Amino acid sequence: MKKNIDLGLLISRVTIAGLMLFHGVAKLSGLGGIKGMLAAAGLPEVMAYGVYFTELIAPALILIGFRTRLASLAFFFGMMAAMLLAHADNLFAISKTGGLEIELILLFAFGALAFFFTGAGKYAISTSNKWD
């Protein structure tokens, strides 16, 4: 069977970015909990609006394949921030099913990081810019 790396990238983009969009849409109802967490950490509450970029805008750009490398870098750093702020107590915790408690965050983060290195592939809205 012939390899089709571009199709594999498309499937990965749709999966990772598409699943993150559900998290972002859920945040449209409000950011109160995130603002409180930031305030408790001594950070400005306005940083909570970065969640919209991390969980809505960046995944949408990755999904359609527009400036994928740039969007995936922002997505990666947003996931790292979420991991350190919201899940710092669980960094090395094992779930009752034997996996890491933060495995979903790690899958999102490092999936995005992979797109930074690969780009979107040829099945994308834009493929000619260095950030695609």
Side-chain angles (χ1 to χ4, degrees):
M1 177 191 250
K2 185 180 175 199
K3 289 183 187 179
N4 191 338
I5 293 171
D6 293 306
L7 182 59
L9 287 170
L10 174 64
I11 292 168
S12 298
R13 283 188 3 246
V14 168
T15 303
I16 291 171
L19 290 173
M20 178 49 70
L21 283 172
F22 286 102
H23 293 269
V25 168
K27 304 286 189 317
L28 290 174
S29 62
L31 297 172
I34 296 169
K35 287 180 179 180
M37 184 180 8
L38 289 168
L43 296 168
E45 289 183 6
V46 72
M47 289 177 65
Y49 293 98
V51 167
Y52 291 133
F53 192 82
T54 299
E55 296 186 12
L56 283 172
I57 297 169
L61 292 172
I62 292 168
L63 185 68
I64 65 173
F66 185 77
R67 304 300 183 261
T68 303
R69 297 181 70 221
L70 186 60
S72 64
L73 195 60
F75 185 18
F76 171 76
F77 284 116
M79 288 294 94
M80 290 291 102
M83 182 178 68
L84 295 174
L85 287 171
H87 304 280
D89 295 341
N90 296 329
L91 289 180
F92 301 104
I94 303 295
S95 72
K96 59 184 171 185
T97 58
L100 284 174
E101 287 284 340
I102 60 165
E103 65 188 11
L104 184 59
I105 293 171
L106 293 173
L107 183 61
F108 282 135
F110 288 98
L113 188 60
F115 295 138
F116 172 73
F117 291 108
T118 64
K122 72 178 181 179
Y123 303 124
I125 295 233
S126 178
T127 59
S128 60
N129 188 284
K130 71 178 182 177
W131 291 109
D132 289 328

